[in-house]
Amino acid sequence: MLVVVSWVSFWLDKVKQFLKGDAVPARVSLGVTTLLTMTTQASGINSKLPPVSYIKAVDVWIGVCLAFIFGALLEYAVVNYYGRKEFLRKEKKKKTRIDDCVCPSDRPPLRLDLSAYRGVRRLPIFKRISELLSANIDISRRVDLMSRLTFPLTFFSFLIFYYQAYVKQSRD
């Protein structure tokens, strides 16, 4: 449950963290709280078990869970680093932009491509994948979008592998 809770930070809005500062404390406290809670759980479980010289199944479970929670915290560090760089770059562009425009601003800009007029409708999942792979999306947003998909898929594949190995071992 703690691993899944640590993924909530992937859905907290990155834009708010730079404009209002709302998401920074939320993401940091969520990551640190889940990491400390998992560490406390691990030490409590290990203190109740007898010491042995081999790796137990619970050690593998706790180690992987800690790795996923720590990975979510590292993901936020990457998003924060690139997000700050992108935000500063956009702010710098705003300051250096020419404010006196020759064209009237009350008309919508003329589109030179026909992408908006194509009759082909995409499924939402394909639209999200193409959005993720597009070159004009910010790196920090791309990392958040990829994490929303890769963290759960990787963890659930670990669950399948872990329980298959656990059931096989218990049968033997």
Side-chain angles (χ1 to χ4, degrees), residues 3 35 38 61-74 151:
V3 174
L35 189 62
M38 189 66 207
W61 175 262
I62 290 170
V64 171
C65 288
L66 276 170
F68 272 97
I69 292 171
F70 188 70
L73 196 56
L74 285 179
F151 271 74

Side-chain angles (χ1 to χ4, degrees), residues 128-140:
R128 292 290 253 170
I129 291 172
S130 66
E131 175 186 311
L132 179 63
L133 298 176
S134 69
N136 61 353
I137 191 170
D138 293 338
I139 293 172
S140 58

